[in-house]
């Protein structure tokens, strides 16, 4: 019994001595790893700072900064492990990562897809930070493009987080991709109004708005002969093409057109309906060849309206005719 206790104690003492002997290497390895973490963060900051003032290189700076940070941290990890475990070789870790990489790939397939899609988005730059985009009913300003997801800020103050794999494989509308943007609106005038005069008045109204660009110039097009209006489409360009500027110019253009048309006597009609009631008391009721369904008779014969007394007389006559037929049948049977 004493021998077993002594052997166990010797083993504990050897472990403690080994840990004490390894403690300087642990501290040195930890210090080296912390130093590489600091260097990696500074490299990322420097790369972002170099590309911050260049819109075209901003996303590329994010990619390079993150890649440089990750590579620096990985190098620091290798060096720290080599200090702590002198027999450790970088090839051992690479082999271990290769064996477990397949399992990790299956377990985190979606995460890896988003990561690769984020890298491609940052490199190809279909849109950039501060662009205003539309994606599947979501519309707003791009706040940040991360390697996993992209965040946009909606116009009503909400944040939407969209996985990068969806953004990369689906259609995205970039409203601020170009310097100018064209807006349009349909205005309905009356059928009795002069189309050329109305078009000229609309052009004058758009030219009076400061937000409407003179080049490209605004234009008006007759688009449709609708049920109660002649629809004319007005089109104009604005700069910059951001949401707030679009709303301001639309408000001013529509207001100016409405005031201009009304001041010059141009009608702005609204949809109307005519309801015709069918007269159910006409003597032609039930006769589909003569029934008018409420429309005027024109030059033809106007059906006479029925009176209640006439209807009762016809009903009584039919009943009398029926009774006389029954009596005749009885007399014939008796004879």
């Amino acid at each position: 019994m004493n021998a077993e206790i002594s052997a166990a104690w010797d083993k504990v003492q050897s472990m403690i001595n080994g840990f004490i002997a390894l403690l300087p290497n642990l501290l040195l390895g930890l210090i080296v790893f912390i130093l590489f973490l600091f260097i990696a963060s500074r490299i990322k900051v420097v790369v972002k700072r170099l590309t911050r003032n260049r819109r075209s290189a901003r996303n590329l700076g994010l990619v390079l900064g993150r890649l440089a940070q990750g590579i620096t941290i990985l190098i620091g990890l290798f060096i720290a492990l080599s200090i702590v475990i002198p027999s450790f070789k970088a090839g051992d870790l690479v082999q271990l990562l290769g064996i477990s990489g397949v399992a990790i790939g299956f377990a985190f397939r979606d995460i890896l897809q988003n990561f690769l899609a984020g890298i491609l988005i940052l490199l190809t730059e279909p849109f950039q930070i501060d662009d205003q985009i539309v994606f599947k009913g979501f519309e707003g300003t791009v706040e940040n493009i991360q390697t996993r997801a992209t965040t946009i800020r909606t116009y009503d103050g909400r944040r939407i987080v969209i996985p990068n794999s969806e953004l990369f494989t689906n259609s995205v509308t970039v409203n601020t991709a170009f310097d100018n943007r064209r807006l349009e609106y349909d205005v309905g005038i009356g059928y009795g109004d002069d189309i050329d005069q109305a078009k000229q008045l609309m052009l004058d109204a758009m030219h009076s708005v400061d937000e409407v660009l003179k080049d490209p110039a605004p234009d008006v097009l007759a688009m449709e002969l609708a049920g109660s209006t002649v629809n004319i489409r007005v089109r104009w360009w604005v700069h910059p093409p951001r949401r707030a500027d679009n709303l301001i110019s639309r408000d001013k253009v529509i207001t100016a057109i409405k005031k201009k048309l009304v001041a010059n006597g141009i009608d702005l009609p609204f949809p109307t309906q005519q309801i015709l009631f069918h007269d159910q008391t006409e003597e032609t009721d039930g006769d589909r060849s003569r029934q008018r369904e409420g429309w005027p008779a024109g030059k033809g014969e106007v059906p006479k309206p029925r009176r209640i007394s006439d209807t009762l007389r016809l009903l009584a006559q039919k009943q009398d005719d029926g009774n006389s037929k029954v009596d005749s049948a009885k007399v014939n049977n008796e004879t």
Side-chain angles (χ1 to χ4, degrees):
M1 186 67 179
N2 293 331
E4 293 177 357
I5 294 175
S6 177
W9 177 249
D10 291 340
K11 186 177 291 186
V12 172
Q13 281 186 331
S14 63
M15 292 175 62
I16 294 174
N17 292 333
F19 178 75
I20 294 174
L22 191 62
L23 189 60
N25 291 344
L26 285 173
L27 293 177
L28 181 59
L30 182 62
I31 293 173
V32 170
F33 185 67
I34 293 175
L35 180 62
F36 270 89
L37 286 177
F38 176 76
I39 294 174
S41 63
R42 296 308 303 171
I43 290 176
K44 181 180 178 181
V45 171
V46 169
V47 174
K48 289 179 64 177
R49 185 177 299 170
L50 291 175
T51 58
R52 180 173 55 191
N53 296 328
R54 298 182 181 180
R55 178 180 172 85
S56 59
R58 189 184 305 172
N59 291 340
L60 182 60
L62 291 174
V63 176
L64 295 178
R66 288 166 183 168
L67 288 178
Q69 184 183 26
I71 292 173
T72 305
I73 292 175
L74 189 61
I75 293 173
L77 179 62
F78 287 161
I79 296 176
L81 289 175
S82 300
I83 294 174
V84 175
I85 307 173
S87 60
F88 172 80
K89 297 180 180 180
D92 299 335
L93 182 59
V94 172
Q95 184 178 3
L96 178 62
L97 292 176
I99 295 173
S100 59
V102 177
I104 294 174
F106 280 107
F108 300 96
R109 182 178 59 182
D110 293 338
I111 296 177
L112 293 176
Q113 285 180 350
N114 291 326
F115 177 79
L116 293 176
I119 296 296
L120 292 174
I121 288 174
L122 289 170
L123 290 176
T124 58
E125 294 186 341
F127 53 84
Q128 299 176 345
I129 295 175
D130 292 334
D131 272 335
Q132 293 183 347
I133 65 173
V134 181
F135 176 75
K136 288 185 176 180
F138 302 114
E139 183 174 357
T141 305
V142 178
E143 279 189 323
N144 193 11
I145 305 174
Q146 302 175 351
T147 53
R148 187 193 68 83
T150 296
T151 59
I152 65 174
R153 184 180 67 255
T154 61
Y155 304 128
D156 56 356
R158 294 179 295 172
R159 174 176 293 170
I160 307 296
V161 181
I162 305 174
N164 286 329
S165 60
E166 293 191 17
L167 283 173
F168 191 74
T169 56
N170 291 279
S171 300
V172 179
T173 302
V174 184
N175 290 331
T176 53
F178 303 101
D179 293 334
N180 301 334
R181 182 180 175 186
R182 190 183 69 187
L183 304 178
E184 60 184 34
Y185 187 80
D186 289 347
V187 180
I189 65 173
Y191 273 90
D193 295 318
D194 188 341
I195 295 180
D196 294 331
Q197 179 189 8
K199 291 169 68 174
Q200 186 59 47
L201 291 174
M202 293 178 189
L203 281 175
D204 295 341
M206 286 189 290
H207 282 298
S208 66
V209 177
D210 295 335
E211 284 75 10
V212 175
L213 296 180
K214 304 301 184 290
D215 185 21
D219 59 359
V220 292
L221 301 170
M223 296 299 296
E224 183 182 11
L225 299 176
S228 57
T229 59
V230 177
N231 291 336
I232 298 178
R233 180 166 299 172
V234 295
R235 304 189 302 181
W236 69 96
W237 292 83
V238 294
H239 174 82
R242 305 193 73 81
R243 173 74 171 181
D245 304 289
N246 296 345
L247 292 177
I248 292 173
S249 68
R250 183 179 293 268
D251 171 69
K252 291 185 178 181
V253 165
I254 294 176
T255 302
I257 289 176
K258 198 265 185 183
K259 291 181 178 179
K260 194 77 170 179
L261 294 179
V262 172
N264 288 271
I266 302 296
D267 187 21
L268 297 176
F270 50 84
T272 58
Q273 286 184 329
Q274 182 178 10
I275 301 176
L276 300 175
F277 293 94
H278 172 56
D279 187 357
Q280 297 291 334
T281 65
E282 289 182 352
E283 61 182 6
T284 59
D285 185 40
D287 185 355
R288 301 304 299 173
S289 62
R290 300 179 61 199
Q291 192 165 315
R292 298 185 297 132
E293 299 293 349
W295 293 98
K299 297 181 179 180
E301 179 184 359
V302 179
K304 296 179 180 180
R306 288 179 177 174
R307 294 178 297 181
I308 297 178
S309 59
D310 296 337
T311 303
L312 294 176
R313 187 178 65 255
L314 290 174
L315 180 60
Q317 184 178 356
K318 289 182 179 181
Q319 289 179 350
D320 293 340
D321 293 342
N323 293 334
S324 62
K325 289 180 180 180
V326 172
D327 294 337
S328 299
K330 288 182 180 180
V331 171
N332 293 331
N333 291 333
E334 292 176 355
T335 58

